[in-house]
Amino acid sequence: MSYRTRTSWHKWINPLNLAVLAVVLFIVLPIYWLVISSFKTPVNVGSFPPQYFPNPVSFANYGSAFSHYGFGKYFVNSLTVTVLSTGLVLVIGSLAGYALARLPMRGKAPLLVTLLVISVFPEIAVVSPLYLLMNQIGWLNTYQALIVPYTAFNLPFAIWIMRNYFLGIPKEMEETSRIDGASAIRTYWSIILPQARPGIFTAGVFVFTACWTEFLMALTLDNSNGFRTIPVGIALFGSPNVVPYGTIFAASVIAVIPVGTLVFVFRKFVVSGLTAGAVKG
Amino acid sequence: MATIGMERINKVYMNGFHAVHDLSLTVDEGEFMVLVGPSGCGKTTVLRMIAGLEDISSGELRFGEKLVNNLEPKERDIAMVFQNYALYPHMTVAQNIAFSLKLRKMPKGEIRQKVEEAANILGLTEWLDRKPKELSGGQRQRVAMGRALVREPSVFLMDEPLSNLDAKLRVKMRTEVRRIQERLGVATVYVTHDQTEAMTMGDRVAVLKDGALLQVDTPQALYDRPVNQFVGAFIGSPAMNLYQAEMANRGRSLKLGSQVLTLPDTILVARPALSTYSGKQLTVGIRPEDLSARPHLSTSGNTLRCEITLVEALGSELMVHFTIDANLIQVEQVNSQEQDILSDKNEGVARLDPSVPVKAGDKLTLEVKLERLHFFDPTGNAIYD
C-alpha cells in the first residue's frame, strides 16, 4: 500500500468540508452583497442581470448617508448610548457577578434563576409600560431613556457570563492576597479583575453588540431626530416614495464596522470567555 | 517571631459538621510542626483557622501572648503556601514576590533588594521577569516559597505544598523547604497526608483523625511508641502488620492463629498489664522491619512460619508479602489508602535482606524481634504499662 503525500483537490471534497463551505457561503454571501452594493450607483443596485462587482465603483452612497440623512448624528448617538450602557453593565455586572460567585449569600440560586428568566424576557412586553414611565418622568428623547433600560436588560446575561468566569478563578487567589495584606477592594482590583479580563471582554462584546443593534426600544423611546440611533435611523431613511437602497447599504456597512472590529480584536477572549468553567486550567 | 498556642479549639460548620474537636497544641518558636492524617481529618481546617481564613468556633488561638482569634489574616503577620501555589498569573515572578511588600508601602529600592535576595536564595534570579505559566512545577513552588520568604512572617503555614510535584522533585524539595524554614526560623505548621513527608520534615508531628489530635511527638517517638493502633499503622511505611492474637499462659505466650510466640520476661516486666489479658484477645503489631528471615525451616518461640505471596525487590531490600493463618486487622483510613486493590486483604509485609533467596509460593520462617512488638487492647489503645 502506498501513501499519498500530496493533498489533491478531490481529497478536499468530502461531506464535512462541503457542509462547512455551505455554511460559510450562507453567511458571507449576504455580507458580500451588502458591501458591493454599497459601492454601486443607484441605477446599478437593482440592475438585471445583477452586477457581481460594482462598475463603476461609487462612493456617492456614503456621501449621501452623511450629507442627506444625518448619519453622522445617528452614529454619535449610537456610540454614546452603547458605550455608556456597556460601561455601566460591566461595572455593575462584574461586581454583582463576583458577589454571586464568591460571597456566602442566602437565596443565591433563586436569584440566579430569576436573572436568567429576566434575560430571556421578550422586550416587546415591557416597551409599552416603559414608554408611559419615560413619558411620566420626562425622559423621552434623551440618552438616558435608552442607557438605563439597556443597562438593566443586559445586566442579567452579563452577570451570568462574568460569574461563571469568576468561579473558574481559584479561591486561593483571594486568600493569598488577603494574607499578603490586601483589602477586599484591592484584591478585587489587582488580583481578580486582571484574571477575569477574558470574561469581562466577552460580556462587553455581547452587550455592545446588543445595544448597538437594538431597535424596538430605540424606536419607541428616542424617536426624535436628535437622539435617533443607527438602527432606527437607517430604517427611516428616505421617504414613503423613495427607498434609497444604496445609502441604506452604505450606512449598514459603516454600522457593522465597530462591532466587527470589536469581535475581531477580542475573538480569542470571546471563545475562552464562553467556555470558562468547562475546563479548569 | 512567636509561638503558636492552640487551646481547646473547635470548628463546627454551619451545616453542623464538627470538623475539629478540642484541639490543644503548641508550636514553639522556630519549630517545624507537621499536621498529618488521612484526608478529611481536619488538618487543613486547623491550618486555615491559624491563618484566619476560617472562623474559630470556640477555643483560643494565640501567637505568643496575643489572642488572635478575631484578627484578619493580614493582621496576623503570617505567610502561607497553598497546594496549588496560588501564584498571581498576570504578574511576573518578581511582582508576585513583591506584592505583599508593595502593599506595606515599602520603598521601591528596598523591595527590589529583598526580591533579588530571595530570588538568589531560591535560584530564581533568571526567572524574575517570567510569568508563572512559563515556569516548571518546581520553580512555581519556589516562587511560592519566595513570597513567604520576603515577608519575614512571624508564623509560616504550608498546606500540602509538595503534593503537586512529581515523586523525585518532591523528595528534593523536602530538604529545600526545611532549609528555607530554618532560615526564617519561625514557628511553622505544615500540613500533609503523606506520613513519609511528616517523618522526614517535622521536628514534631501531630497525628489527626476525624478532627481529633491523637498524638503529637517527635517522629521517632511516634514510630517507637504510638498511642494507638491508628497511629501505629499510619506512621511507618510499609504499614505495621496488625494481627488479632490471644494472650495465654499468664501473658507468657501469644497465639497468632495456630502459631505461638513465647514472650520473654523483659516484656512482661516492662508491661505488667499484659498479664491481665491472659486468655483474652488483643492486637499485636509487628513492623515489617522487625521481621527477618531464618535460613532453615526450624521454629522456636520467636518465629512465625508463613507462605510468601509476593516479592517486591527494591534493590536495597525485599518487600515480602506473606500470609499466616492469623487474622490481619485492617485499620480504617490507613489500609484503604495504602493497600493496592489486588493484594490479598490478609497479607502481611516483611522487609527483608535482599540476599535472602525467596520467591512467591515459598514457605519461609520469619524471626520476630519480640522486644519490638506493639500491643493494643481491643479498643485500639496501646498497652505500655
Side-chain angles (χ1 to χ4, degrees):
Chain A
M1 206 180 140
S2 70
Y3 290 95
R4 299 152 64 109
T5 49
R6 217 175 36 166
T7 313
S8 55
W9 65 269
H10 53 268
K11 216 175 174 184
W12 190 89
I13 297 177
N14 61 53
L16 190 66
N17 281 345
L18 289 179
V20 171
L21 185 70
V23 171
V24 169
L25 286 180
F26 191 74
I27 294 168
V28 168
L29 271 185
I31 296 177
Y32 174 75
W33 202 245
L34 172 76
V35 175
I36 60 146
S37 298
S38 73
F39 290 107
K40 288 176 188 170
T41 58
V43 180
N44 284 339
V45 168
S47 67
F48 191 86
Q51 278 190 328
Y52 294 100
F53 193 81
N55 182 26
V57 175
S58 147
F59 292 92
N61 293 325
Y62 287 86
S64 94
F66 283 97
S67 59
H68 285 100
Y69 294 100
F71 184 74
K73 180 66 186 159
Y74 303 154
F75 194 90
V76 170
N77 290 343
S78 265
L79 208 60
T80 310
V81 168
T82 303
V83 167
L84 287 175
S85 305
T86 307
L88 275 173
V89 167
L90 292 186
V91 171
I92 302 170
S94 65
L95 285 166
Y98 182 62
L100 284 168
R102 280 294 200 269
L103 299 187
M105 206 187 285
R106 230 176 256 275
K108 208 190 266 188
L111 195 64
L112 282 165
V113 173
T114 311
L115 283 177
L116 202 63
V117 171
I118 293 173
S119 71
V120 294
F121 217 71
E123 226 176 79
I124 189 108
V126 292
V127 156
S128 319
L130 210 54
Y131 178 84
L132 293 177
L133 181 73
M134 293 295 176
N135 195 21
Q136 288 277 310
I137 59 177
W139 276 14
L140 285 181
N141 297 320
T142 59
Y143 284 136
Q144 64 267 33
L146 289 185
I147 292 171
V148 172
Y150 282 2
T151 305
F153 269 84
N154 284 296
L155 262 174
F157 175 72
I159 289 174
W160 262 89
I161 286 193
M162 291 192 271
R163 171 186 167 269
N164 283 353
Y165 210 83
F166 286 128
L167 280 181
I169 298 173
K171 260 199 172 109
E172 285 88 348
M173 288 295 160
E174 280 116 312
E175 293 177 342
T176 306
S177 169
R178 269 174 81 189
I179 289 171
D180 271 345
S183 64
I185 295 293
R186 180 69 193 257
T187 301
Y188 179 70
W189 186 254
S190 302
I191 306 296
I192 302 302
L193 269 190
Q195 293 184 49
R197 253 182 301 188
I200 291 168
F201 287 151
T202 307
V205 167
F206 276 93
V207 173
F208 188 96
T209 310
C211 297
W212 189 255
T213 55
E214 203 284 333
F215 181 77
L216 192 58
M217 285 192 203
L219 178 70
T220 317
L221 306 174
D222 266 4
N223 201 10
S224 82
N225 205 28
F227 291 94
R228 225 171 259 166
T229 57
I230 292 176
V232 180
I234 291 178
L236 300 179
F237 272 3
S239 64
N241 302 320
V242 185
V243 182
Y245 283 113
T247 316
I248 290 174
F249 289 153
S252 301
V253 169
I254 298 169
V256 166
I257 289 171
V259 174
T261 315
L262 217 57
V263 172
F264 185 77
V265 170
F266 292 121
R267 65 194 184 283
K268 221 172 71 189
F269 293 117
V270 172
V271 173
S272 79
L274 284 180
T275 55
V279 181
K280 236 186 152 181
Chain B
M1 278 188 237
T3 59
I4 306 170
M6 285 166 262
E7 190 62 45
R8 296 180 65 89
I9 284 190
N10 280 278
K11 176 69 190 182
V12 184
Y13 282 103
M14 292 230 275
N15 60 13
F17 178 64
H18 201 154
V20 177
H21 295 266
D22 269 346
L23 179 88
S24 294
L25 182 66
T26 307
V27 186
D28 293 328
E29 261 184 53
E31 185 178 31
F32 197 107
M33 174 69 76
V34 178
L35 302 185
V36 69
S39 46
C41 72
K43 53 195 191 295
T44 296
T45 308
V46 173
L47 195 77
R48 290 172 60 83
M49 284 193 286
I50 299 174
L53 296 171
E54 206 84 63
D55 288 334
I56 297 170
S57 306
S58 74
E60 290 184 350
L61 174 66
R62 289 175 191 279
F63 288 175
E65 293 297 304
K66 194 168 144 202
L67 188 71
V68 296
N69 279 38
N70 297 317
L71 291 189
E72 273 291 297
K74 63 174 175 178
E75 296 164 324
R76 297 190 185 196
D77 192 22
I78 51 174
M80 183 157 167
V81 175
F82 289 87
Q83 182 176 351
N84 62 6
Y85 318 138
L87 302 182
Y88 309 131
H90 57 292
M91 297 185 187
T92 64
V93 169
Q95 287 167 336
N96 261 285
I97 297 176
F99 187 64
S100 66
L101 304 180
K102 221 167 98 184
L103 289 172
R104 287 184 190 177
K105 308 221 156 40
M106 189 181 272
K108 273 201 176 140
E110 206 174 322
I111 291 182
R112 192 177 327 124
Q113 191 194 328
K114 284 210 165 228
V115 169
E116 278 168 8
E117 202 181 290
N120 203 14
I121 294 168
L122 297 165
L124 288 169
T125 308
E126 53 186 312
W127 305 93
L128 279 178
D129 294 325
R130 304 287 184 101
K131 293 269 176 70
K133 67 170 180 221
E134 301 168 63
L135 305 182
S136 70
Q139 287 164 334
R140 285 179 205 186
Q141 163 66 45
R142 275 184 291 194
V143 176
M145 298 297 292
R147 282 208 299 213
L149 202 62
V150 289
R151 300 198 43 190
E152 294 167 7
S154 54
V155 166
F156 191 13
L157 308 172
M158 287 181 266
D159 187 5
E160 310 225 11
L162 303 184
S163 54
N164 280 6
L165 302 177
D166 65 65
K168 220 169 192 169
L169 196 56
R170 204 178 306 160
V171 174
K172 188 178 153 230
M173 287 304 286
R174 272 189 221 151
T175 47
E176 276 195 38
V177 170
R178 242 355 275 257
R179 232 185 48 216
I180 290 162
Q181 190 270 341
E182 265 157 37
R183 198 185 172 93
L184 279 169
V186 298
T188 299
V189 182
Y190 183 106
V191 163
T192 179
H193 65 269
D194 178 352
Q195 65 85 28
T196 316
E197 227 167 88
M199 295 291 277
T200 51
M201 297 178 77
D203 290 325
R204 285 195 298 160
V205 177
V207 184
L208 279 83
K209 188 189 172 225
D210 299 331
L213 177 65
L214 298 183
Q215 188 173 8
V216 51
D217 218 324
T218 61
Q220 193 63 49
L222 282 183
Y223 178 85
D224 290 338
R225 286 174 73 87
V227 292
N228 60 27
Q229 215 165 280
F230 178 81
V231 177
F234 192 79
I235 299 293
S237 176
M240 180 188 279
N241 305 302
L242 292 162
Y243 285 105
Q244 197 172 27
E246 192 188 316
M247 213 33 122
N249 197 10
R250 270 178 291 134
R252 275 172 221 291
S253 34
L254 189 65
K255 283 196 211 160
L256 276 115
S258 62
Q259 307 190 57
V260 178
L261 292 173
T262 311
L263 301 181
D265 288 344
T266 49
I267 292 184
L268 286 175
V269 170
R271 298 168 191 184
L274 281 181
S275 57
T276 65
Y277 284 89
S278 195
K280 292 187 199 158
Q281 298 282 327
L282 50 62
T283 303
V284 62
I286 312 171
R287 292 214 181 268
E289 42 277 30
D290 296 333
L291 291 166
S292 53
R294 271 269 179 102
H296 310 292
L297 284 176
S298 64
T299 57
S300 61
N302 65 344
T303 57
L304 292 171
R305 285 235 308 274
C306 69
E307 189 175 334
I308 296 171
T309 53
L310 178 74
V311 177
E312 296 173 84
L314 301 180
S316 61
E317 56 199 10
L318 292 179
M319 293 297 168
V320 175
H321 296 240
F322 61 86
T323 54
I324 58 175
D325 65 350
N327 264 342
L328 198 74
I329 292 173
Q330 303 288 329
V331 178
E332 203 193 332
Q333 297 179 28
V334 175
N335 303 67
S336 54
Q337 273 182 347
E338 305 245 316
Q339 232 163 35
D340 37 358
I341 309 156
L342 287 177
S343 80
D344 187 341
K345 284 288 179 218
N346 221 14
E347 260 179 17
V349 181
R351 187 195 287 248
L352 301 183
D353 192 279
S355 62
V356 182
V358 288
K359 60 180 193 299
D362 284 356
K363 297 257 195 293
L364 182 70
T365 303
L366 292 168
E367 189 175 319
V368 184
K369 278 190 199 144
L370 295 173
E371 70 281 6
R372 305 268 314 161
L373 286 181
H374 298 262
F375 299 93
F376 305 97
D377 67 22
T379 62
N381 290 322
I383 303 166
Y384 286 116
D385 44 31

